[in-house]
């Protein structure tokens, strides 16, 4: 099967040699996304809740370009600066996903891009 490399003009521009996502065998693999404003490329806020919401918005934009959506996410890996960020990120996930409960890991990561308190990567089914 052929891989399809996805780039969304609606999402923040990729900062290196990678695609926003790769679709293969009915799955979309979304590269790590940050809390960046798509229009400016700047970090949206220093508040973890605002950052989590923006990061999931960016994942959603990329999934839409791949023919999928947040409701099709199978697995999320969430990187946060500190354990203190877990509860607000979990609250955002509850709000965004409701009864849809993808597999998920939250990992502490001390060296995220400056100003970013979160990064999210996802695997989703393609409709």
């Amino acid at each position: 099967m052929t891989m399809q490399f996805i780039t969304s003009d609606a999402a923040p521009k990729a900062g290196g040699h990678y695609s926003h996502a790769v679709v293969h065998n009915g799955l979309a693999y979304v590269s790590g996304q940050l809390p960046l404003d798509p229009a400016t490329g700047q970090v949206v806020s220093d508040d973890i809740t605002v950052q989590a919401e923006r990061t999931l918005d960016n994942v959603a934009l990329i999934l839409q370009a791949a023919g999928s959506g947040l409701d099709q996410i199978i697995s999320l890996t969430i990187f946060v600066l500190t354990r203190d960020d877990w509860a607000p990120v979990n609250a955002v996930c509850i709000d965004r996903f409701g009864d849809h409960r993808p597999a998920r890991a939250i990992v502490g990561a001390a060296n995220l891009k400056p100003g970013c308190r979160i990064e999210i990567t996802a695997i989703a089914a393609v409709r």
Side-chain angles (χ1 to χ4, degrees):
M1 295 215 113
T2 304
M3 286 185 264
Q4 181 182 4
F5 299 100
I6 304 297
T7 300
S8 171
D9 291 334
K13 302 235 179 293
H17 184 70
Y18 61 89
S19 299
H20 281 140
V22 175
V23 174
H24 183 66
N25 285 340
L27 295 174
Y29 300 85
V30 178
S31 295
Q33 296 302 305
L34 298 167
L36 304 179
D37 181 299
T40 66
Q42 300 299 309
V43 177
V44 293
S45 170
D46 61 356
D47 180 89
I48 186 59
T49 299
V50 174
Q51 286 199 11
E53 290 169 344
R54 179 71 255 169
T55 304
L56 282 175
D57 288 345
N58 292 340
V59 169
L61 291 167
I62 292 164
L63 287 173
Q64 181 179 10
S68 187
L70 292 179
D71 64 330
Q72 297 298 303
I73 290 179
I74 297 165
S75 178
L76 283 173
T77 303
I78 302 172
F79 302 92
V80 293
L81 280 182
T82 73
R83 180 79 172 134
D84 293 339
D85 291 338
W86 187 90
V89 169
N90 195 53
V92 170
C93 287
I94 290 167
D95 182 56
R96 291 295 178 95
F97 292 106
D99 291 336
H100 180 68
R101 293 176 177 248
R104 185 180 79 186
I106 297 182
V107 180
N111 291 312
L112 296 174
K113 181 176 180 165
C116 297
R117 295 175 62 182
I118 188 168
E119 183 169 343
I120 299 175
T121 185
I123 300 170
V126 175
R127 293 184 175 98

